[in-house]
Amino acid sequence: MRRLGPALVALMLILLPSVALGDDRPEIPDELPESLPDKYRAWLVEVDILISDEELALFLSLDKDYRRDAFIKQFWSERRGYDESLRREFEEDYKRRVQESLAQFGNLKDPRARHALINGWPDMYVEVTCRSELWPIEIFFYAPKGRFNPIPVAVIFYKPWGVGNWRRWDPFEGEEVFRNDQSMAGRSLLGPGGCNYEAFQEALAIIRLINQVSPYEYSKMMDKASQRPEPPTGEWVTTFESYSTDGPEGASTFPAEVTFSFPGYKQNRTVAQGAVVVERAVAGVTELRGSRTYNFVLNGEVLKDGSLFESFRYRFDFPVDDVSSDQMPLVFQRYLRPGDYQVILRVEDLSTNQVFRWADALNIPMVDNAMPAQDLDDEVARVYASANEVLLGGEVGVKIVRPFGDLITGFQRFDVLAEGDRIDSVQFTVDGQAVMTKKRPPYSVELDLGDLPKTLVLRATAHDDAGEEIASDELMLNASPHRFVVRLIEPVGGRNYYGSLRARADIKVPDTETLDRVELWRDDVRLATLYDEPFVQPITVPSSDLTLVRAVGYLNDGTMAEDVVIINAPDIVDEIGVDFVELYTTVLDRDRRPVSGLTIDNFSVEEDGVPQTIERFEVVDNLPIHATILLDVSASMIERLDQARDAALSFFEQLVEPRDRVSLIAFNDRPWVSVPFTHDIDDFASGVAGLKAERGTALHDSLIYSLFYANGIQGQRAVLLLSDGDDENSRFSFDDALEYSRRAEVTIYSIGLDLPARGSEARKTLRKLAEETGGRSFFIDSTAELDAVYAQIREELRSKYLLAYQSSNGSDDDQFREIDIEVSESGLDAKTISGYYP
């Protein structure tokens, strides 16, 4: 492939100054509403190629500047996914393109400007002027940029007749369209007598070369380069719109009272507790399958100095039988710094579609000690007094600082950040076993975690001087950073609460996902739904009977996680540990094909030879799958890497549904995450493209790392391991890798590539790993067979049974427990994990 010629390289690159928009602001289209301020009209012109029709419609419907500003902030935040630095980089880069395009071309509708906005400023920009023979011509040169743009690209713009609008040239137009002297027709533009500008010659040569490799390829490439960037999904638009505090035009209204109190503080912020008190007599009742509830949605906005400081949304559900008072308080808490704010509230009765709207100034005081409720209804104050007691003297919290690194082994020091003045001591436990209690700061502990990176739960519990638990935090060591975790910090399990309590949840969302909502339940009754931080909510406890409090979190794709605590339990009730074992099981026939249509009666389970009772049985065909492709890229894979990459892409395209995620971990003498868990094919392809085969093989270390990466994720988890050689560089042994595989409870599908049929340690290793984890091993001669292997694995992952039982072994030992599953039908083989560690 030829490179840009030396004559082209010698041309001067036109330096484009960075300028403020100022007077260069483009002409505002007439179709925009006249009431829209100029700065927002100009912004719409600037983002014309980015904004979707749905986004534009919503933006034009906004009638308040603070809402428009909030929209613009969220608009940029949604670009470039979940990485904040990438989002900021994208916004800054785009604004720079806008400035450069305005400075060079005068407006953003010029095809040269639009091309630069979509594809970036060229590596070299050249003007060709040969007035006697050619119309004005400008050329964008792009240098090669990796797998997806491996050759130089030239884009030619010209101005027919030398006047009017510029246009992008397409080879189908022919080269004659450049001439202004038709007497030169038929003579080559690259030969004698033509315009001998080397940049122009170079551009035409590049385009011709591309079309020689693949006819029409250049035109297809340019059509794609002219398309608007794909906007983010419309979910954010729907969410933004749902937070509006504007009432529907002409909607019926209902009366309510609004009060605020300030029951405590958190560091330098005051806890502002608001209550919208609705009279029971004016509320509608929703009846559904025998359930009768009052249902409300509360949207709120807090403005500071005329700008949107924060917005929030709550849903409240009151079972009719639980409401004994004539009033129903919709109570919410926000953390605000002292100062003056404007608060806007909108409540919708979901049964009647009536709304209540309130807006007023609110002064947030400095709170050093808990203040009595101010202007709060007597009944509301009484009901929530118990919930607010925990705020006396300020909020208390502890947070374990995670050590540096992924796989944590050996001697490690763990520090705890403590907040609040009421902490008397901090107790540390590992997997429920007490290891140390510290009576004074610094609250830290040193632990020997051993050589193998085991999954352990470290817990720090703060107590007051009466020995009561007042705060806690947990850290799961050697667990995946992609876990979705919901944990109730308050209430404290085993304690008694009367009248009300303050529920507080800690939520950990994977970097690549978005939290949809957190629901708070009392037994089987949903009381409140929170859509934003802080996930704190006072809830009522109408009796002193044993009660379950649950926090349930949902991601946008429907994935769920929850935490449950038991309160108000009789003294005779002891909390015991129970092992509930879940087995994802594949059943194969004699031809090694998955078998469907079986029922619970076809299965029997034994643990250490003791029959177990199957308490849950499901056919798993739509459960989310988290699969990791663990790909050997050592030097021996040089000739086969391209085909292995293509097979991985094919597996991704055919497996992934909206709730599935696939990652790719490459390894040679060390492993690294080439593609984090994703369901976006472009992200996956980008990570796969940059792989290079080199260096040695560390199979055991890399397998342990890949299992760590999937550790703690709920649902089906699988590792697809492809390797063509023995381990050469690992720190961990095969026994270590096997032990870790047993503890991880992740299905391993191992693929051996061109391995000797006899005497191969790698073949033995791959077969044993698959057998112990309920997977399968495949041995192939070439990467051409990978598509067929991946197809079989896909079929198995979509054809599993979930069997669950409560272990009859009540001992607290940590010995490995062997599992055996039998199928009643002859000729069928059930494959699942060989056992587990309790």
Side-chain angles (χ1 to χ4, degrees):
M1 192 65 65
R2 62 178 292 181
R3 299 180 180 273
L4 295 175
L8 172 62
V9 176
L11 290 174
M12 289 291 292
L13 176 63
I14 297 179
L15 299 177
L16 300 174
S18 240
V19 297
L21 295 183
D23 296 334
D24 293 321
R25 182 175 294 161
E27 182 181 353
I28 306 300
D30 295 333
E31 62 268 19
L32 293 179
E34 293 183 2
S35 59
L36 188 65
D38 283 352
K39 71 173 183 177
Y40 299 116
R41 295 156 70 88
W43 181 79
L44 285 176
V45 173
E46 292 169 13
V47 299
D48 178 62
I49 65 167
L50 297 180
I51 194 166
S52 68
D53 292 342
E54 188 178 10
E55 290 170 328
L56 178 60
L58 174 58
F59 185 79
L60 293 178
S61 73
L62 304 176
D63 60 357
K64 298 179 179 67
D65 285 355
Y66 75 84
R67 294 280 289 165
R68 295 178 181 121
D69 293 336
F71 177 99
I72 292 172
K73 181 179 180 181
Q74 190 64 30
F75 174 90
W76 290 118
S77 180
E78 293 295 326
R79 265 62 189 175
R80 283 299 174 99
Y82 305 93
D83 188 307
E84 183 177 349
S85 62
L86 286 180
R87 292 198 300 259
R88 190 164 50 247
E89 179 182 329
F90 176 82
E91 179 182 358
E92 293 172 353
D93 181 58
Y94 185 82
K95 290 179 178 178
R96 185 167 54 251
R97 295 182 194 179
V98 168
Q99 293 174 345
E100 292 172 341
S101 296
L102 287 173
Q104 187 65 30
F105 309 119
N107 71 81
L108 300 180
K109 290 197 173 293
D110 187 294
R112 299 166 297 172
R114 293 183 69 83
H115 186 91
L117 290 178
I118 294 172
N119 302 285
W121 200 254
D123 297 291
M124 183 169 287
Y125 165 71
V126 178
E127 293 182 274
V128 179
T129 56
C130 186
R131 299 297 183 185
S132 62
E133 298 180 12
L134 299 176
W135 301 124
I137 294 172
E138 294 183 7
I139 308 172
F140 288 7
F141 286 100
Y142 292 90
K145 291 182 175 66
R147 178 173 180 260
F148 292 100
N149 181 21
I151 58 177
V153 174
V155 187
I156 300 178
F157 297 92
Y158 71 103
K159 183 183 287 189
W161 309 104
V163 295
N165 297 324
W166 288 82
R167 62 183 294 173
R168 177 175 55 81
W169 178 71
D170 189 286
F172 288 114
E173 297 180 273
E175 297 173 10
E176 296 297 325
V177 298
F178 296 121
R179 298 187 183 278
N180 68 9
D181 182 356
Q182 296 305 313
S183 66
M184 302 293 294
R187 299 179 65 174
S188 171
L189 291 174
L190 296 181
C195 187
N196 199 29
Y197 279 85
E198 293 188 356
F200 187 46
Q201 297 174 5
E202 190 74 23
L204 288 175
I206 289 173
I207 294 169
R208 289 169 176 171
L209 185 60
I210 293 173
N211 276 328
Q212 286 174 8
V213 173
S214 175
Y216 312 115
E217 189 64 32
Y218 181 81
S219 295
K220 288 165 54 181
M221 185 189 305
M222 289 300 101
D223 287 342
K224 185 174 182 180
S226 301
Q227 294 175 1
R228 293 185 176 197
E230 190 72 24
T233 64
E235 289 179 353
W236 88 265
V237 176
T238 303
T239 301
F240 187 92
E241 196 170 15
S242 70
Y243 276 60
S244 173
T245 57
D246 294 331
E249 189 171 343
S252 300
T253 62
F254 65 89
E257 296 291 333
V258 177
T259 60
F260 277 91
S261 62
F262 311 98
Y265 62 94
K266 177 181 173 65
Q267 296 177 339
N268 60 348
R269 295 176 183 253
T270 297
V271 178
Q273 180 169 292
V276 180
V277 184
V278 181
E279 295 290 338
R280 182 176 183 177
V282 304
V285 176
T286 302
E287 298 192 30
L288 183 63
R289 295 182 180 179
S291 173
R292 303 177 70 243
T293 56
Y294 302 103
N295 308 103
F296 302 92
V297 169
L298 166 66
N299 287 354
E301 293 175 330
V302 179
L303 277 60
K304 179 71 171 174
D305 299 327
S307 298
L308 184 65
F309 180 77
E310 69 172 17
S311 59
F312 51 88
R313 190 168 190 250
Y314 294 79
R315 173 177 170 141
F316 299 92
D317 303 282
F318 299 92
V320 169
D321 294 338
D322 273 10
V323 181
S324 57
S325 171
D326 292 334
Q327 297 175 327
M328 289 179 290
L330 315 183
V331 177
F332 59 94
Q333 291 186 350
R334 312 304 300 173
Y335 297 151
L336 299 173
R337 290 188 176 90
D340 293 321
Y341 298 85
Q342 178 84 6
V343 178
I344 306 169
L345 303 175
R346 173 182 175 271
V347 178
E348 180 182 2
D349 185 330
L350 297 181
S351 176
T352 65
N353 294 324
Q354 292 183 315
V355 299
F356 165 77
R357 193 172 187 277
W358 178 92
D360 205 350
L362 180 67
N363 176 263
I364 304 295
M366 173 71 75
V367 177
D368 293 324
N369 295 293
M371 298 176 62
Q374 298 177 355
D375 302 325
L376 198 61
D377 179 88
D378 290 342
E379 177 65 14
V380 176
R382 183 189 64 79
V383 170
Y384 289 98
S386 178
N388 291 333
E389 282 182 4
V390 298
L391 291 171
L392 293 172
E395 191 169 277
V396 178
V398 290
K399 186 71 175 177
I400 304 173
V401 180
R402 180 184 176 85
F404 178 77
D406 293 326
L407 297 176
I408 302 173
T409 60
F411 280 97
Q412 294 285 346
R413 174 188 172 98
F414 296 89
D415 294 308
V416 171
L417 302 177
E419 175 187 352
D421 300 328
R422 294 183 290 131
I423 297 177
D424 180 70
S425 64
V426 174
Q427 182 186 53
F428 294 91
T429 62
V430 175
D431 287 347
Q433 301 295 316
V435 294
M436 179 178 289
T437 298
K438 297 293 289 287
K439 294 286 292 182
R440 61 180 62 86
Y443 300 113
S444 62
V445 64
E446 291 189 357
L447 301 174
D448 183 2
L449 303 178
D451 295 330
L452 190 66
K454 298 180 181 179
T455 302
L456 303 170
V457 177
L458 174 63
R459 182 180 177 88
T461 305
H463 298 85
D464 60 19
D465 54 9
E468 291 285 341
E469 179 181 332
I470 55 176
S472 66
D473 187 31
E474 285 185 355
L475 178 64
M476 181 176 284
L477 306 180
N478 297 319
S480 170
H482 288 270
R483 291 190 313 135
F484 175 35
V485 179
V486 174
R487 194 171 72 85
L488 271 171
I489 300 173
E490 298 175 30
V492 177
R495 187 177 295 179
N496 292 325
Y497 295 84
Y498 303 96
S500 63
L501 58 84
R502 184 171 183 261
R504 181 159 61 110
D506 182 42
I507 314 295
K508 182 183 183 300
V509 179
D511 292 339
T512 55
E513 306 296 340
T514 302
L515 181 70
D516 180 67
R517 67 191 186 277
V518 176
E519 297 177 348
L520 295 172
W521 293 69
R522 187 194 64 225
D523 295 327
D524 58 350
V525 177
R526 183 181 61 196
L527 298 178
T529 304
L530 288 64
Y531 297 87
D532 315 275
E533 293 185 286
F535 298 110
V536 177
Q537 181 62 34
I539 62 175
T540 58
V541 184
S543 69
S544 59
D545 297 337
L546 184 146
T547 302
L548 272 65
V549 178
R550 289 193 298 147
V552 185
Y554 293 88
L555 300 179
N556 275 352
D557 65 4
T559 302
M560 182 191 79
E562 70 173 338
D563 191 21
V564 182
V565 299
I566 301 173
I567 62 170
N568 298 341
D571 294 338
I572 60 173
V573 176
D574 293 325
E575 189 172 336
I576 61 174
V578 175
D579 291 309
F580 200 70
V581 184
E582 293 185 340
L583 305 174
Y584 290 97
T585 305
T586 302
V587 179
L588 304 176
D589 60 19
R590 289 187 175 91
D591 295 326
R592 313 306 289 168
R593 303 290 295 179
V595 177
S596 60
L598 301 179
T599 68
I600 189 173
D601 297 328
N602 295 116
F603 293 89
S604 61
V605 178
E606 291 185 355
E607 179 180 299
D608 287 338
V610 179
Q612 305 293 315
T613 301
I614 301 174
E615 299 184 5
R616 180 183 171 195
F617 176 85
E618 292 181 24
V619 177
V620 179
D621 54 8
N622 63 353
L623 196 68
I625 295 172
H626 280 74
T628 297
I629 297 176
L630 182 58
L631 182 61
D632 186 342
V633 292
S634 59
S636 58
M637 288 287 291
I638 289 178
E639 301 297 328
R640 304 180 259 217
L641 186 55
D642 285 346
Q643 204 160 17
R645 286 189 299 210
D646 291 341
L649 279 168
S650 176
F651 172 81
F652 185 100
E653 291 176 318
Q654 297 180 43
L655 171 79
V656 172
E657 295 179 1
R659 296 172 62 192
D660 300 325
R661 301 291 184 269
V662 177
S663 64
L664 188 138
I665 295 178
F667 73 95
N668 40 43
D669 56 3
R670 64 177 182 85
W672 70 92
V673 178
S674 182
V675 184
F677 277 118
T678 182
H679 61 95
D680 187 294
I681 182 62
D682 292 334
D683 289 346
F684 191 82
S686 178
V688 171
L691 297 177
K692 180 182 179 181
E694 59 185 353
R695 302 164 69 167
T697 306
L699 176 61
H700 306 152
D701 288 0
S702 303
L703 176 62
I704 288 176
Y705 184 79
S706 68
L707 294 172
F708 148 77
Y709 194 66
N711 193 12
I713 294 176
Q714 295 181 332
Q716 279 203 82
R717 297 169 296 154
V719 169
L720 284 63
L721 166 58
L722 172 65
S723 181
D724 70 343
D726 293 325
D727 191 297
E728 303 168 337
N729 299 94
S730 284
R731 178 168 64 94
F732 294 110
S733 66
F734 168 70
D735 289 338
D736 291 332
L738 181 62
E739 178 80 357
Y740 197 83
S741 301
R742 286 174 163 178
R743 292 182 181 275
E745 299 179 21
V746 176
T747 306
I748 298 174
Y749 292 92
S750 56
I751 307 168
L753 178 58
D754 194 22
L755 297 175
R758 294 183 179 180
S760 170
E761 286 300 318
R763 183 180 282 257
K764 296 176 184 177
T765 294
L766 297 178
R767 181 181 291 113
K768 183 66 172 177
L769 290 170
E771 289 175 351
E772 288 290 321
T773 59
R776 290 178 63 187
S777 55
F778 303 84
F779 298 99
I780 58 179
D781 295 327
S782 76
T783 48
E785 301 174 63
L786 274 176
D787 279 336
V789 171
Y790 281 149
Q792 293 182 60
I793 295 174
R794 283 195 305 271
E795 187 178 10
E796 284 197 19
L797 290 173
R798 295 292 183 203
S799 309
K800 286 184 180 286
Y801 300 92
L802 174 60
L803 286 67
Y805 67 91
Q806 182 176 309
S807 175
S808 62
N809 186 346
S811 66
D812 58 358
D813 64 58
D814 59 354
Q815 299 302 306
F816 185 75
R817 301 179 182 181
E818 294 186 355
I819 291 174
D820 182 55
I821 294 183
E822 296 292 337
V823 184
S824 58
E825 300 292 324
S826 63
L828 302 184
D829 180 29
K831 300 180 71 62
T832 190
I833 58 175
S834 63
Y836 72 99
Y837 286 92

